[in-house]
Amino acid sequence: GVPISTQTSPSGNYWQVRAADGSRYLFGIDVNSRDRLDLDTLNAGPSKYRHAFLRRVYAGQIDTGSLAEAQAWTAEYEYEESAGAQECNETSNETGQVYWWFASHNNRRPKAIRYGTPVKTDGTPSGLRYALRFGYDGASSRLTNVWSEVEEDSLTTPIGRLELSGAAVRMFTDPPGNPNMWIQVLSSAVESAWNGAGYNALPANTFEYAIQQDSYWPFNRNRLVRMSNGYGGSDEFDYAADDSAGEYYWHRQVTAARVMDGLGNTSTTAYAYADRCVGGFKDQYGTIQSSPCQDYGEVFFGANTVPQIIGFGSVVETIYNNGALNGSVAHKFNVTDPRLAGREYETRRRDGAGTVL
């Protein structure tokens, strides 16, 4: 196994992980890489959770010599705080009683990642670093920008930028769903390169979604149905509902994926599934339903859980180029042993004539 130990720094205890190659990973070594969540609930009373984030990486064969440890890292992660305390309420379905809980949480998020070797080939310290920085929308805390830079001593030179645009959509439509629950979806991504005076932008990659009912309750899920690369090429996805678990939970699977080059050519992969593997497979009345791994619910999700899909025992991909059959790939996965659940044990490829390759 990987040795994990607790160490002490001037700002308190932290975690250290040592890899077999001598690299060290340090978590929570200072205030910037630590966070605490305080929960105060009606029944449980106050409780505290402490988060330790990865702060520095030391490569065993590089970060050596006489440099101080604060300078000798090959990767450093920097964080910042977003929105502060939140107050929420939840109603019990059994009693109708409203439970209030207060979460004081800083929602720490990445601000920058820096890479580089701390020592030049001649053994002297190096001030050259490659940096990735992250920008967020102030209202929603959504990631909006990622840009890269070269840092050398006190000089910073831009390299490139990725701009992300999105929108917030409701997850539920009608009661009993919570109308105040929202999710963020990505609508476009634009890459730009620094030209010495400004950024030259490439065509935008765009993303389209379709709202589909997901279960017996009117849950709205925004599933990705189309991606466009800005040059005429695109990918499209089809889904189908699987209600074999009864009315309680529906799981949608991708049934087809199409790749179009914008020049009139289309490659389609159709997916067929069998031996649906669901843990804790009970219908809305608590009756255990048939499944190859119906008893895995307590292994993976705990007793008396609602149905949770684990995978399928068989998935067959059939490939078509401009409508002509081009071949297929059949995958088989273990669904009979909880220790091996989901592990692929056979892959069989056929050409367009059906011959096994």
Side-chain angles (χ1 to χ4, degrees), residues 283-298:
D283 63 15
Q284 68 269 35
Y285 306 108
T287 303
I288 295 179
Q289 304 295 301
S290 175
S291 169
C293 49
Q294 65 187 33
D295 298 326
Y296 295 179
E298 295 187 13

Side-chain angles (χ1 to χ4, degrees), residues 89-101:
N89 72 83
E90 182 175 298
T91 303
S92 168
N93 289 332
E94 289 80 13
T95 65
Q97 184 176 5
V98 176
Y99 295 89
W100 287 91
W101 57 276

Side-chain angles (χ1 to χ4, degrees), residues 29-328:
I29 64 175
D30 54 17
V31 175
N32 185 268
S33 56
R34 288 198 298 264
D35 196 4
R36 190 180 72 180
L37 172 63
D38 294 339
L39 292 176
D40 192 356
T41 62
L42 180 64
N43 294 329
S47 59
K48 301 180 185 297
Y49 300 88
R50 184 171 178 176
H51 300 161
F53 299 92
L54 179 61
R55 181 66 160 135
R56 290 195 182 122
V57 178
Y58 295 88
Q61 299 180 1
I62 299 177
D63 301 333
T64 57
S66 59
L67 283 178
E69 188 167 271
Q71 298 175 294
W73 46 266
T74 50
E76 182 180 61
Y77 296 74
E78 183 181 356
Y79 304 89
E80 67 180 13
E81 297 178 4
S82 60
Q86 303 174 18
E87 189 174 48
C88 303
N89 72 83
E90 182 175 298
T91 303
S92 168
N93 289 332
E94 289 80 13
T95 65
Q97 184 176 5
V98 176
Y99 295 89
W100 287 91
W101 57 276
F102 183 80
S104 176
H105 190 12
N106 293 329
N107 294 324
R108 200 164 295 267
R109 61 195 183 189
K111 181 180 180 181
I113 305 174
R114 296 182 180 87
Y115 305 90
T117 53
V119 182
K120 298 178 182 178
T121 54
D122 61 3
T124 59
S126 171
L128 181 65
R129 301 288 185 183
Y130 176 78
L132 287 176
R133 299 185 180 276
F134 306 91
Y136 302 87
D137 175 73
S140 65
S141 295
R142 177 177 51 84
L143 181 66
T144 56
N145 290 277
V146 180
W147 64 95
S148 56
E149 301 173 337
V150 172
E151 300 175 346
E152 187 166 14
D153 300 323
S154 60
L155 299 177
T156 299
T157 303
I159 300 176
R161 182 177 64 189
L162 176 65
E163 297 177 273
L164 306 172
S165 300
V169 297
R170 291 186 187 275
M171 181 176 290
F172 305 116
T173 52
D174 303 309
N178 185 344
N180 295 319
M181 186 172 291
W182 296 69
I183 58 174
Q184 294 279 347
V185 295
L186 178 66
S187 56
S188 71
V190 178
E191 295 181 74
S192 304
W194 182 255
N195 61 16
Y199 286 99
N200 291 331
L202 297 175
N205 293 272
T206 58
F207 305 85
E208 301 174 28
Y209 304 82
I211 298 178
Q212 300 171 337
Q213 185 171 317
D214 207 35
S215 71
Y216 178 68
W217 282 357
F219 293 2
N220 273 352
R221 303 286 183 180
N222 277 270
R223 286 185 166 83
L224 181 66
V225 294
R226 182 181 175 86
M227 299 186 299
S228 302
N229 65 7
Y231 294 96
S234 61
D235 297 71
E236 293 182 347
F237 306 94
D238 294 338
Y239 301 85
D242 180 2
D243 61 353
S244 58
E247 295 180 315
Y248 197 65
Y249 264 33
W250 293 350
H251 299 281
R252 290 182 178 265
Q253 294 94 43
V254 175
T255 55
R258 290 178 296 279
V259 179
M260 293 160 284
D261 63 5
L263 301 175
N265 300 303
T266 301
S267 175
T268 302
T269 302
Y271 299 89
Y273 306 86
D275 294 332
R276 188 174 185 270
C277 178
V278 178
F281 200 176
K282 300 177 182 179
D283 63 15
Q284 68 269 35
Y285 306 108
T287 303
I288 295 179
Q289 304 295 301
S290 175
S291 169
C293 49
Q294 65 187 33
D295 298 326
Y296 295 179
E298 295 187 13
V299 176
F300 295 107
F301 309 107
N304 300 317
T305 183
V306 296
Q308 298 287 343
I309 190 166
I310 297 172
F312 294 88
S314 172
V315 180
V316 178
E317 306 173 38
T318 305
I319 300 100
Y320 302 88
N321 287 334
N322 292 325
L325 179 62
N326 192 51
S328 65

